[in-house]
Amino acid sequence: MRKFKVPEVTIFRLSLYLRCLSELEEEGVEVISSAELGQRCGINPAQIRKDLAYFGEFGTRGVGYYVKDLKEDIKRIMGLDKEWEVALVGVGNLGRALLSYQGFKRHGFKISVAFDKVVDEERLSAMPEGCTLYHADKMVEVIRERKIKLAIIAVHFSEAQKVADVLVEAGIKGILNFAPVRLNVPKDVVVRHIDLGVELEMLTFFLSARIGK
Amino acid sequence: MRKFKVPEVTIFRLSLYLRCLSELEEEGVEVISSAELGQRCGINPAQIRKDLAYFGEFGTRGVGYYVKDLKEDIKRIMGLDKEWEVALVGVGNLGRALLSYQGFKRHGFKISVAFDKVVDEERLSAMPEGCTLYHADKMVEVIRERKIKLAIIAVHFSEAQKVADVLVEAGIKGILNFAPVRLNVPKDVVVRHIDLGVELEMLTFFLSARIGK
DNA sequence: CTTTTATTGTGAATGTACACACAATAAGTA
DNA sequence: TACTTATTGTGTGTACATTCACAATAAAAG
Ligand SMILES: NC(=O)c1ccc[n+]([C@@H]2O[C@H](COP(=O)([O-])OP(=O)(O)OC[C@H]3O[C@@H](n4cnc5c(N)ncnc54)[C@H](O)[C@@H]3O)[C@@H](O)[C@H]2O)c1
Ligand SMILES: NC(=O)c1ccc[n+]([C@@H]2O[C@H](COP(=O)([O-])OP(=O)(O)OC[C@H]3O[C@@H](n4cnc5c(N)ncnc54)[C@H](O)[C@@H]3O)[C@@H](O)[C@H]2O)c1
């Protein structure tokens, strides 16, 4: 599909461009130059053009980019031209917050199944419309059956690797992991870590360096 | 303080090394080579040595690094040799999950005050021991009084920039932002964004690219 | 149809990060 | 003390990412 290797930061930025384009569309802007777009999302215009160039030519010289078209193009590039079902594992404090998060929908994601090793009234009552809670034993069966490819891990860190292994067995290909552990998975499975400890520590580094300077 | 510019990824990795060293210490390992440490956290040994070299010489040639010492050194480098108080703004679904998160303590962070524009029984009952909930109007006053420098933003995205402005006024120097908005702050304030939408979209890109290939 | 204008797409230059490979050196051993 | 061994700290080359700068070109104006 792709001819050349695309840097990971480029994908990250495409996602930013997409959000920005959605906002522009809502504001009724129809055409935008890389210069203006760059201003809005704090990125060098040449960078934007280079990023897009990995995937083709989307602009019109002398004019700029048609907001609606570029948005559709980036969505297609990122595989966002369809809805993605997501499986959530771990319906604890964090899991319940994620279940109630409305932001996923806007991006085209839907948590349609959740798993926990405890299935009680407290957890069942946290399930929103259109999402079913299963016991963790059902993971492989349900995920295979529904052909779900994306999962979120929100269990205690001591369980995270075990859960990841089961998810891989069930055919999951992308994992968003909130547990503070680097997961070990086959290389056809992509993992992204969200690590609050690390993020806060990076903040204190910059603060200390600044104050100490 | 620092002579040369340190890359951001280096800081990120220091935090990983730190976690790994804590684990090693618990396992009773006293000395470790960059080769072994690299193996454990999936990073090239030369990279580890380069990262450390930004800040001095911590190892012993022919031997390796003393786990306890290196851990203390990295903690000091990152400003983690003291406890940091953190202010949380927004005690909604996400905010409550964060309040109940035990992981912060291990890193030396403590959410000691929380703010919301709604102060009701539901939110008050979510406050753990040692953390007080105030009305959002009190932000500047309380944060100044307690000299808090770190804050977490967990309010609706439409409120995030306003909240950030108030936090800056109150003297906050580091912000962890969960709202899907790029915050505008003075350049002596550091912001880290946690953006679930972007993370999930990056996953779908890699999945689509792989499936389409 | 030709000229002007604006803005893309991209080669080349610069800057940054990574990995290799080895000299420097500390500790252990004879 | 001299020799051996292990492993760090770092100079150097390579790969990757960003920015600059401009030729290519589409649309608008004359
Ligand atoms: N709470 C937060 O704000 C927060 C923030 C960042 C990271 N995290 C991380 O997210 C993870 C979850 O945090 P939490 O606060 O929700 O914890 P929690 O203890 O409230 O919830 C964990 C849930 O996972 C379930 N579980 C445990 N093992 C399981 C298994 N093998 N299979 C299925 N379900 C299982 C438990 O029954 C529980 O419902 C932890 O690793 C934590 O470090 C939490
Ligand atoms: N819920 C999640 O799992 C999740 C995940 C990722 C990101 N986010 C983001 O985190 C933010 C919070 O999400 P949530 O689900 O907790 O929303 P929420 O609506 O449950 O909570 C928001 C809270 O902020 C308070 N608030 C609003 N404006 C305020 C202000 N100006 N000052 C003080 N308090 C204010 C509200 O009273 C409410 O208690 C959102 O921006 C969301 O996009 C949430």
Side-chain angles (χ1 to χ4, degrees):
Chain A
M1 197 184 204
R2 289 176 286 128
K3 260 209 197 105
F4 304 103
K5 210 176 118 290
V6 180
E8 194 166 305
V9 268
T10 289
I11 311 309
F12 171 81
R13 285 190 299 254
L14 283 182
S15 185
L16 293 188
Y17 305 154
L18 193 52
R19 178 175 297 153
C20 206
L21 289 165
S22 297
E23 287 167 17
L24 286 164
E25 201 179 28
E26 276 171 31
E27 291 168 28
V29 179
E30 297 193 343
V31 180
I32 193 156
S33 67
S34 59
E36 274 180 278
L37 186 59
Q39 194 111 67
R40 277 184 82 121
C41 48
I43 284 165
N44 183 303
Q47 186 73 75
I48 297 180
R49 299 199 296 274
K50 265 275 156 72
D51 285 339
L52 295 174
Y54 283 109
F55 303 97
E57 303 197 358
F58 304 99
T60 309
R61 295 176 190 213
V63 177
Y65 301 90
Y66 291 95
V67 172
K68 195 168 174 315
D69 294 352
L70 185 58
K71 188 185 145 194
E72 292 309 313
D73 286 327
I74 295 182
K75 277 191 148 184
R76 195 172 26 73
I77 291 166
M78 301 197 71
L80 297 168
D81 45 359
K82 57 161 187 159
E83 189 182 84
W84 287 83
E85 285 191 83
V86 180
L88 170 71
V89 188
V91 186
N93 293 300
L94 179 61
R96 287 197 281 271
L98 293 171
L99 282 171
S100 69
Y101 181 42
Q102 297 304 310
F104 289 138
K105 212 183 299 169
R106 257 188 312 115
H107 291 267
F109 297 105
K110 181 174 190 325
I111 300 181
S112 51
V113 292
F115 300 93
D116 203 295
K117 66 179 178 190
V118 181
V119 178
D120 57 7
E121 198 38 56
E122 189 188 6
R123 288 175 175 78
L124 282 168
S125 67
M127 303 305 295
E129 183 73 18
C131 180
T132 318
L133 175 62
Y134 296 93
H135 189 275
D137 295 343
K138 302 274 183 189
M139 260 195 273
V140 174
E141 182 188 328
V142 174
I143 290 173
R144 279 216 185 121
E145 164 75 26
R146 305 182 68 146
K147 299 189 170 49
I148 297 177
K149 298 295 165 207
L150 287 176
I152 299 177
I153 295 183
V155 301
H156 191 257
F157 76 91
S158 58
E159 295 286 313
Q161 183 62 58
K162 271 178 269 175
V163 168
D165 295 341
V166 177
L167 289 173
V168 168
E169 192 197 334
I172 288 290
K173 295 295 176 192
I175 297 176
L176 192 58
N177 174 37
F178 282 88
V181 196
R182 303 280 122 179
L183 298 177
N184 231 310
V185 295
K187 59 181 171 317
D188 69 323
V189 178
V190 190
V191 179
R192 304 225 21 117
H193 293 272
I194 296 203
D195 199 323
L196 297 204
V198 171
E199 298 293 335
L200 276 174
E201 291 185 357
M202 289 181 72
L203 282 182
T204 60
F205 170 81
F206 291 117
L207 262 59
S208 305
R210 225 154 267 200
I211 292 161
K213 186 181 58 172
Chain B
M1 197 180 205
R2 288 178 285 127
K3 262 210 195 105
F4 305 103
K5 209 177 119 291
V6 180
E8 195 165 304
V9 268
T10 289
I11 311 309
F12 171 82
R13 284 189 300 255
L14 283 182
S15 186
L16 293 188
Y17 305 154
L18 193 53
R19 177 174 298 153
C20 205
L21 289 166
S22 296
E23 288 167 18
L24 286 164
E25 201 179 28
E26 276 170 31
E27 292 168 27
V29 179
E30 297 194 343
V31 180
I32 192 155
S33 66
S34 59
E36 275 180 279
L37 186 59
Q39 194 112 66
R40 277 184 83 121
C41 48
I43 284 165
N44 183 302
Q47 186 71 72
I48 297 180
R49 299 198 297 273
K50 265 273 156 73
D51 285 339
L52 294 173
Y54 283 108
F55 304 97
E57 304 195 358
F58 304 100
T60 307
R61 296 175 192 214
V63 178
Y65 301 89
Y66 291 95
V67 172
K68 196 169 174 311
D69 293 352
L70 185 57
K71 187 184 146 197
E72 293 309 314
D73 285 328
I74 296 181
K75 276 192 148 183
R76 196 172 25 72
I77 290 166
M78 301 197 70
L80 296 169
D81 45 359
K82 59 160 187 160
E83 189 183 83
W84 288 82
E85 284 191 84
V86 180
L88 170 69
V89 189
V91 186
N93 293 299
L94 180 61
R96 286 196 282 271
L98 293 171
L99 282 171
S100 69
Y101 182 43
Q102 298 303 311
F104 289 138
K105 211 183 299 170
R106 258 190 310 116
H107 290 267
F109 298 104
K110 181 173 189 325
I111 300 181
S112 51
V113 292
F115 301 92
D116 203 296
K117 66 178 179 189
V118 181
V119 177
D120 57 8
E121 197 39 57
E122 189 188 6
R123 288 175 176 79
L124 282 167
S125 67
M127 303 305 296
E129 184 73 18
C131 180
T132 318
L133 175 63
Y134 296 93
H135 190 275
D137 295 342
K138 302 273 182 190
M139 260 196 271
V140 175
E141 182 187 330
V142 175
I143 290 173
R144 279 217 185 120
E145 165 74 26
R146 305 183 68 146
K147 299 189 170 50
I148 297 175
K149 297 296 164 206
L150 287 176
I152 299 177
I153 295 183
V155 299
H156 191 256
F157 76 91
S158 58
E159 296 285 312
Q161 182 62 59
K162 272 177 269 176
V163 167
D165 294 340
V166 177
L167 289 172
V168 168
E169 192 197 333
I172 288 290
K173 295 296 175 194
I175 297 176
L176 192 57
N177 174 37
F178 282 89
V181 196
R182 303 280 122 180
L183 297 177
N184 231 309
V185 295
K187 58 182 173 315
D188 69 322
V189 178
V190 191
V191 179
R192 303 222 26 113
H193 293 272
I194 297 202
D195 199 323
L196 298 204
V198 171
E199 298 292 336
L200 277 174
E201 291 184 357
M202 290 182 71
L203 283 182
T204 60
F205 170 82
F206 291 116
L207 262 59
S208 306
R210 224 154 267 200
I211 294 162
K213 185 182 57 170

